Amino acid sequence: MELTKLTALELAAKIRAKEVSVSEAVEAQLEQIEKKDSLYHCYTSILADEARARAKEVQKQINDGTLTSPLAGVPVAIKDNICTKGIPTTCSSKMLEHFRPPYDATVVECMNAAGTITVGKLNMDEFAMGSTTETSYFGVTKNPRDITRVPGGSSGGAAAAAAAEEAFLTLGSDTGGSIRQPASFCGVTGIKPTYGTVSRYGLIAYASSLDQIGPIARSAADCAAALDVISGSDKRDSTCVDREHYGYLNALTGDIRGMKIGMPAGYFAEGLDEEVRKSIYQAADVLRSLGASVEEFDLKGVKYAIPAYYVIASAEASSNLSRYDGVKYGYRIEKFEGLQEVYKNTRSEGFGNEVKRRMMIGAFVLSSGYYDAYYNKALKVKALIKQSFDEAFEKYDCVLGPTAPTTAMKLGESLSDPLKMYLGDIYTVSVNLAGLPGISVPCGTDKSGLPIGMQLIGRPFGEKEILRAADAYEHAE
Amino acid sequence: MKAYETVIGLEVHVELATKTKIFCGCSTAFGGAPNTHCCPVCTGMPGTLPVLNKKVVEFAMAAGLAMNCTITQKCKFDRKNYFYPDLPKAYQVSQLYLPICRNGGIEIEVNGVKKTIGIHEIHMEEDAGKLVHDPWEDVTLVDYNRCGVPLIEIVSEPDMRSADEVIAYLEKLKLILQYLGVSDCKMQEGSLRADINLSVREVGAPEFGTRTEMKNMNSFKAIARAVEGERKRQIELLEYGKKVVQETRRWDDNKDTSFAMRSKEDAQDYRYFPEPDLVPIEISDEWLSEIRGRQPELRDEKKKRYEKEYEIPSYDAAIITGSKRMADIFEATVAICHKPKEVSNWLMVETMRLMKEAEMDSEELNLSPEKLAALIGLLDAGTINRPVAKEVFEKVFKEDVDPKEYVEKNGLGMVQDEDLLVSTIERIIAENPQSVADYRSGKEKALGFLVGQTMKAMKGKANPGKVNEVLKERL
């Protein structure tokens, strides 16, 4: 039996049944990382000693009955923009290369309390800005399905690790598609929850009004189990709302009879790869065969989602990333004359080009005289997108479409044409702008064997519906 | 020279008296070793988020209601972005678009003339840290203790026309805030700081002149001098046919003049936008009326009540209510001894004298109402006479002694032994034949001398009324 092939829930069940010890699971995972990571480079740091020590502790708690969570004993990995106490949290940036947070993110506390074991931190696009993981200061992550391809981004390390069995379950973050798009490119499942479902405390901000943490795994059920662990209000994040009775895992009944699914006709027009289009239509047929109704409809307003997204996200990023100034923590230039040079040279050297590009866009759109033309207009577009989704959800339980217009690009193809890269976010960014939950589920491959992902979008806090549909779809195949 | 009018508006920053900071649980206490009142949130560590202290909203609402403002029931925070080492996030969380209070005003009185000064808005924001330059090592260090201490900024309309009006406005503001308990308003600790916007124009001119701004003034005296100095400087410029430049200036109180800091062209673009880490604040009607119901009696009402209820003179009522601390002591003492006139006298005369002697601010006054009431009781019961009472009061004021214990321990009680009094007086009469003769020939003054001699002989512990009475009998 190859342990690392199991899903997180399968492994936890074996641990509970004493068929496998937590230490065996951790060793198997570390061995797989050892074997594969020099090739794929999913990790920015590997916590072998910490994981081994913690495995014993968790085993003890399972044995004495104090740990009964469905994920107890499962090795997991965390995207490197989520703070882990005393452990480097770099955002894959030179700026935070040596930053060790003095605290754990709320999601990390939740996972620890549920008995998971963190085996490492995962590579990403620098400060989560990018769609390929190529903007990482520590080098690119390769797509385990084809190492000449990108894994997607920004949670490229998280998706690739799940795909390469270098982790059973990972936590990523999604601001404009950063969980769903890499999940789609690597052939795994990833969910971005409704804004406000998961605490952002300890998530190093890119765009605060859009960022959400979510799980990536090899099954919808694993994602549901992880979401059960990390959801809930947090007194340290006032944008995180209080909702009782999450019970995502229990919602996976396999029964989607009568579920109404809408497919935005506009999603299947120009710019969409033909093979991707075909796969989504086939997936729609599968969902129909399970008893759901699927029909096309007209989703208005999403046309301007990409410019609106890049205006809002960049504006917030320009403010959020101003704190990296060489004064308090992180990188600081060694030689300087005066304060202005500390700022200028630290930031010039500490940040990569994509981050600088977005901070400049952001500073521009917020500057006096341009605020109304850009930022305010983008907020109006955001409101319109929310409204057209609200209208769609009066008729449908979820919205089905592609996650990305293409399968994974070749390495090195994207960064030279950022505008083209931005357009690849067309199906994902509107979900963040509207604050909705979205899940990417593998739905076949193209002719070169590259994974294709379908996206199910739910109504606000409608995670149960999209997880149920995703789970039912997985089992239908 | 033409006749000019000065136009002044103020932006006053007030540190609120909450126990904890605006977005985290750190202490707001003044002082403390550098960087001991901070945490990952107020030092802007990556990944941290602010959570609003509800008390800050309540204090801002209370201030707004007391200044007759409209409360913005749906308000929110914005980010003001700029780089400075004392600002760890490189943005200050403040309110630009929807400040919590708007369109208010307070009444001031200068030389008997009443006038309303408009309040444009009051907004909530966080304070920054403090840079400390070490000239020895030639390095600058940052202390983040003040970082995240809650502030309100009170922005007036340009309604003031003289330094006297500015001071009257500030005095009034300070009293309102102290009465509300929302700030201690200690200027020397920086909990009340004012920026002065000032312009001049010819009397009757329809438009305002070009204004300058003087930042972070922290004493009333300096403010008065700065207003006067800047007024003169601007008029001089205009008289010589020059123009006033819109700029920020720094008032140097030692040199009695101001210096240009930065012009409008150098003004920073703060790139304000809504703070995405905080949810909008919704103030329900219930919450608003709860705060309204909790508003304490403010100075003007209190003064009127003192005149009516306690029948003390308007002048005395004004002095006592001119300090929240003094008014608190007055009311607490009256509640025990029910002698408002007597309490007022002790505060107006002896307390004022001793405070002046000690160069003490009335807010620092630490006089126990119980002990003052006890002292008044001793006097009233005839246990001690008034001169002794003054001596005991000084001890109460300075050393917080218990009046009863002190009188007993030092044997200061009045002598009640009538035989002793009579025999002493007979002796005094025998020893001072000249004074006796003077009195008998109609020189009333001589009686005072004889009373004094008797009191002295009895070590000040006789009842002066009784001495008078017995002396007159014997003469």
Side-chain angles (χ1 to χ4, degrees), chain A residues 228-354:
Chain A
D228 274 331
V229 170
I230 63 176
S231 301
S233 65
D234 181 4
K235 62 182 191 324
R236 291 172 294 190
D237 176 4
S238 47
T239 65
C240 188
V241 297
D242 191 18
R243 291 178 70 85
E244 282 172 37
H245 312 300
Y246 290 90
Y248 302 114
L249 194 53
N250 290 335
L252 307 186
T253 57
D255 182 4
I256 58 164
R257 282 173 297 173
M259 188 180 271
K260 289 184 206 137
I261 299 172
M263 291 213 297
Y267 277 17
F268 299 90
E270 177 188 18
L272 179 66
D273 182 275
E274 180 53 27
E275 288 187 82
V276 176
R277 193 188 66 81
K278 258 208 255 144
S279 280
I280 306 301
Y281 276 112
Q282 280 165 7
D285 286 339
V286 173
L287 290 166
R288 281 193 192 100
S289 74
L290 293 169
S293 70
V294 185
E295 63 176 37
E296 290 197 18
F297 76 105
D298 188 20
L299 183 66
K300 291 185 214 86
V302 291
K303 202 159 95 184
Y304 301 109
I306 288 186
Y309 167 78
Y310 278 95
V311 166
I312 292 169
S314 301
E316 290 179 16
S318 76
S319 173
N320 282 331
L321 273 67
S322 290
R323 70 188 67 197
Y324 310 112
D325 56 8
V327 173
K328 307 160 295 275
Y329 39 73
Y331 180 73
R332 179 196 286 175
I333 187 94
E334 270 173 42
K335 285 185 187 150
F336 51 84
E337 287 284 328
L339 185 61
Q340 289 305 315
E341 254 184 42
V342 176
Y343 287 159
K344 210 172 109 189
N345 296 352
T346 296
R347 290 169 65 80
S348 293
E349 291 188 14
F351 289 128
N353 285 339
E354 185 59 29

Side-chain angles (χ1 to χ4, degrees), chain A residues 25-45:
Chain A
V26 166
E27 288 308 328
Q29 189 63 85
L30 290 172
E31 197 183 308
Q32 175 77 355
I33 294 169
E34 173 76 15
K35 226 178 348 183
K36 302 283 182 183
D37 209 53
S38 54
L39 186 57
Y40 303 139
H41 188 231
C42 303
Y43 284 87
T44 49
S45 50

Side-chain angles (χ1 to χ4, degrees), chain A residues 103 202 319-320 323 328-329 368, chain B residues 44 46-47 79 81 88 91 269 277:
Chain A
Y103 61 92
S319 173
N320 282 331
R323 70 188 67 197
K328 307 160 295 275
Y329 39 73
S368 146
Chain B
R79 287 188 188 175
N81 296 282
Y91 56 82
D269 183 347
D277 285 332

Side-chain angles (χ1 to χ4, degrees), chain A residues 83 99 102-103 195 200-204 208-209 235-239 316 318-320 322-324 327-329 339 343 347 363 366-368 371 375, chain B residues 40-41 43-52 79 81 83-91 97 142 144 269 271-279:
Chain A
C83 287
F99 176 64
Y103 61 92
Y195 187 80
R200 292 183 296 118
Y201 190 83
L203 169 65
I204 299 182
S208 315
S209 73
K235 62 182 191 324
R236 291 172 294 190
D237 176 4
S238 47
T239 65
E316 290 179 16
S318 76
S319 173
N320 282 331
S322 290
R323 70 188 67 197
Y324 310 112
V327 173
K328 307 160 295 275
Y329 39 73
L339 185 61
Y343 287 159
R347 290 169 65 80
L366 288 177
S367 59
S368 146
Y371 183 86
Y375 187 77
Chain B
V41 175
T43 53
M45 295 289 269
T48 58
L49 295 171
V51 174
L52 179 60
R79 287 188 188 175
N81 296 282
F83 286 94
Y84 204 64
D86 68 3
L87 192 68
K89 300 189 295 288
Y91 56 82
Y97 296 108
V142 201
Y144 291 119
D269 183 347
R271 293 175 284 122
Y272 277 99
F273 75 104
E275 165 58 283
D277 285 332
L278 289 164
V279 289

Side-chain angles (χ1 to χ4, degrees), chain B residues 187-437:
Chain B
M187 293 191 93
Q188 66 279 14
E189 290 181 7
S191 55
L192 190 149
R193 329 188 273 261
D195 301 345
I196 306 167
N197 287 288
L198 186 148
S199 65
V200 296
R201 63 174 168 187
E202 276 184 53
V203 170
E207 306 283 339
F208 289 143
T210 306
R211 69 170 193 273
T212 61
E213 183 178 14
M214 287 181 287
K215 282 206 169 291
N216 277 336
M217 310 288 305
N218 54 7
S219 94
F220 283 0
K221 281 177 187 153
I223 288 168
R225 283 192 289 266
V227 167
E228 202 42 43
E230 182 60 12
R231 183 185 75 87
K232 279 191 188 141
R233 191 190 69 86
Q234 290 192 11
I235 290 173
E236 221 160 86
L237 282 173
L238 298 177
E239 281 292 300
Y240 282 104
K242 292 179 188 163
K243 277 186 175 152
V244 175
V245 180
Q246 188 176 341
E247 62 191 357
T248 303
R249 301 182 67 83
R250 183 178 59 83
W251 174 254
D252 188 329
D253 207 38
N254 297 319
K255 298 202 173 84
D256 213 31
T257 185
S258 66
F259 297 93
M261 275 168 73
R262 56 168 188 262
S263 74
K264 190 190 171 192
E265 282 70 38
D266 305 329
Q268 298 200 49
D269 183 347
Y270 291 119
R271 293 175 284 122
Y272 277 99
F273 75 104
E275 165 58 283
D277 285 332
L278 289 164
V279 289
I281 305 159
E282 302 223 359
I283 299 168
S284 65
D285 293 342
E286 292 74 37
W287 194 13
L288 187 57
S289 54
E290 188 192 324
I291 298 299
R292 209 187 290 275
R294 265 197 260 154
Q295 289 289 85
E297 180 185 45
L298 294 178
R299 198 262 183 115
D300 292 350
E301 305 157 46
K302 201 182 273 291
K303 179 174 166 286
K304 277 181 207 145
R305 182 168 65 86
Y306 282 13
E307 289 171 36
K308 200 168 159 243
E309 191 178 320
Y310 301 131
E311 297 174 325
I312 61 172
S314 170
Y315 177 79
D316 295 17
I319 299 279
I320 292 170
T321 58
S323 149
K324 166 80 163 46
R325 185 91 196 106
M326 188 90 94
D328 286 347
I329 293 170
F330 173 76
E331 285 183 42
T333 314
V334 171
I336 303 168
C337 72
H338 308 289
K339 292 196 171 305
K341 277 253 171 66
E342 190 65 24
V343 179
S344 161
N345 282 339
W346 282 106
L347 292 176
M348 293 292 297
V349 185
E350 285 305 296
T351 309
M352 286 295 192
R353 181 179 68 78
L354 292 167
M355 268 170 43
K356 205 173 165 194
E357 226 169 62
E359 291 183 1
M360 187 192 273
D361 187 86
S362 56
E363 294 308 313
E364 299 166 86
L365 187 59
N366 198 17
L367 185 62
S368 149
E370 291 76 22
K371 287 171 183 166
L372 177 55
L375 178 75
I376 290 170
L378 291 175
L379 188 63
D380 205 42
T383 313
I384 54 172
N385 61 33
R386 200 161 278 276
V388 167
K390 282 189 185 177
E391 183 192 328
V392 177
F393 180 80
E394 194 160 337
K395 285 281 171 192
V396 172
F397 183 93
K398 288 181 175 163
E399 294 163 32
D400 197 32
V401 299
D402 183 276
K404 197 156 173 261
E405 274 175 26
Y406 185 79
V407 165
E408 276 169 17
K409 208 171 120 197
N410 295 284
L412 296 176
M414 277 197 288
V415 178
Q416 311 291 349
D417 182 345
E418 195 145 335
D419 292 345
L420 179 64
L421 181 66
V422 170
S423 67
T424 307
I425 283 174
E426 278 171 352
R427 182 161 56 82
I428 295 294
I429 288 173
E431 282 169 7
N432 296 281
Q434 185 60 49
S435 297
V436 173

